[in-house]
């Protein structure tokens, strides 16, 4: 099963674009890449999912290169409320592997 | 529509005891997954159920078991509790548990083992 590697923490300022990169060298052919956001003592919340190239929704973009060995979550114009842990996970066959997550701190 | 619900919210047990955690999926969702999240770490996959059948199991001892009922709700049972079982237990539901299905997580049950 593919494992993921993310930066442990990142700091940003309000209004900036934040890019969080995740490495998943052993991703399988049928694995999708999914990102979740988690606030303390709450369940993770789905942000975005993709298989290849670029996916965009109302809150984020996901960039996936052709080899799919990494992916980048892009959060445009972050606010203080975006301070959370962000998880990159890959999985298929119903098993998701959460990595260590990236603690994003947004500063005023 | 209501989201995923879990009960109880918090639970305190002592070593050696047994615990049952409950989860109700989003209406229309047929798949439920369970995760354990130890403080400071990411959630770890325990089980997935679809249509009452176990579809996947993570690297957890046999003290952990689960089942899914005809109404798609689920129970996670942990026997012979250890201190290390203290964690946030998360339930997630999805339509059919396929890799493209979004998993929606509940608020979790905080289990403390003394």
């Amino acid at each position: 099963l593919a494992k993921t590697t993310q930066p442990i923490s990142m700091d940003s300022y309000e209004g900036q674009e934040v890019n969080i990169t995740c490495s998943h060298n052993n991703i399988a052919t049928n694995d999708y890449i999914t990102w979740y956001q988690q606030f303390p003592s709450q369940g993770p919340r789905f942000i975005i999912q993709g298989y290849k190239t670029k996916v965009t929704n109302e809150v984020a973009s996901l960039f996936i290169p052709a080899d799919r060995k990494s992916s980048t979550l892009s959060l445009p114009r972050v606010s203080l409320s975006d301070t959370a842990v962000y998880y990159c996970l890959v999985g298929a066959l119903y098993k998701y592997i959460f990595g260590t997550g990236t603690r994003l701190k947004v500063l005023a | 529509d209501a989201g995923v619900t879990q009960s109880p919210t918090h639970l305190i047990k002592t070593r050696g005891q047994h615990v049952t955690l409950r989860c109700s999926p989003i209406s229309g969702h047929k798949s439920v997954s369970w995760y354990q999240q130890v403080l400071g770490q990411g959630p770890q996959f325990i089980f997935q159920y679809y249509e009452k059948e176990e579809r996947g199991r993570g690297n957890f001892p046999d003290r952990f078991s689960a089942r899914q009922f005809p109404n798609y709700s689920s129970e996670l049972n942990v026997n012979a509790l250890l201190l290390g079982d203290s964690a946030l237990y998360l339930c997630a539901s999805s339509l059919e548990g396929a890799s493209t299905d979004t998993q929606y997580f509940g608020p979790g049950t905080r289990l403390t083992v003394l």
Side-chain angles (χ1 to χ4, degrees):
Chain A
L1 297 171
K3 298 180 73 172
T4 60
T5 302
Q6 305 173 232
I8 294 175
S9 64
M10 296 179 68
D11 288 346
S12 182
Y13 288 95
E14 279 190 294
Q16 289 188 329
E17 178 184 74
V18 171
N19 295 309
I20 305 174
T21 297
C22 178
S23 172
H24 28 79
N25 291 319
N26 296 323
I27 189 169
T29 302
N30 55 350
D31 282 345
Y32 277 73
I33 300 157
T34 311
W35 286 80
Y36 281 84
Q37 175 193 57
Q38 188 177 28
F39 299 109
S41 298
Q42 294 186 25
R45 184 176 73 97
F46 173 84
I47 301 174
I48 198 166
Q49 183 184 66
Y51 184 79
K52 60 181 179 179
T53 65
K54 177 183 175 182
V55 179
T56 297
N57 61 22
E58 62 276 9
V59 298
S61 295
L62 179 59
F63 299 91
I64 305 170
D67 65 7
R68 304 198 330 120
K69 293 184 182 297
S70 67
S71 60
T72 299
L73 173 72
S74 181
L75 304 172
R77 298 179 299 280
V78 295
S79 64
L80 294 175
S81 62
D82 292 318
T83 294
V85 178
Y86 292 81
Y87 291 99
C88 159
L89 52 151
V90 298
L93 300 177
Y94 326 116
K95 299 177 187 179
Y96 282 113
I97 296 179
F98 282 79
T100 55
T102 297
R103 293 186 178 277
L104 173 65
K105 185 175 182 179
V106 180
L107 307 169
Chain B
D1 281 343
V4 176
T5 59
Q6 293 185 244
S7 62
T9 305
H10 296 87
L11 202 53
I12 299 175
K13 292 285 189 179
T14 57
R15 283 179 297 175
Q17 286 189 311
H18 161 91
V19 68
T20 297
L21 310 180
R22 297 178 174 81
C23 171
S24 293
I26 291 172
S27 177
H29 285 192
K30 299 179 179 180
S31 178
V32 169
S33 296
W34 287 94
Y35 293 81
Q36 179 196 65
Q37 186 172 26
V38 175
L39 195 62
Q41 298 182 18
Q44 300 297 310
F45 173 77
I46 309 175
F47 287 109
Q48 189 192 44
Y49 277 78
Y50 173 68
E51 291 280 15
K52 298 178 291 181
E53 297 291 326
E54 180 183 307
R55 261 189 170 171
R57 182 184 183 119
N59 188 25
F60 280 81
D62 292 342
R63 299 185 295 107
F64 289 77
S65 64
R67 55 179 176 169
Q68 186 177 33
F69 299 99
N71 66 353
Y72 304 112
S73 67
S74 177
E75 282 182 355
L76 175 69
N77 295 284
V78 186
N79 293 323
L81 286 167
L82 303 174
L83 295 179
D85 295 329
S86 295
L88 181 67
Y89 287 84
L90 296 161
C91 171
S93 77
S94 61
L95 281 171
E96 296 184 350
S99 57
T100 53
D101 286 349
T102 299
Q103 290 196 66
Y104 295 89
F105 284 82
T109 293
R110 173 71 62 185
L111 171 65
T112 301
V113 182
L114 302 176

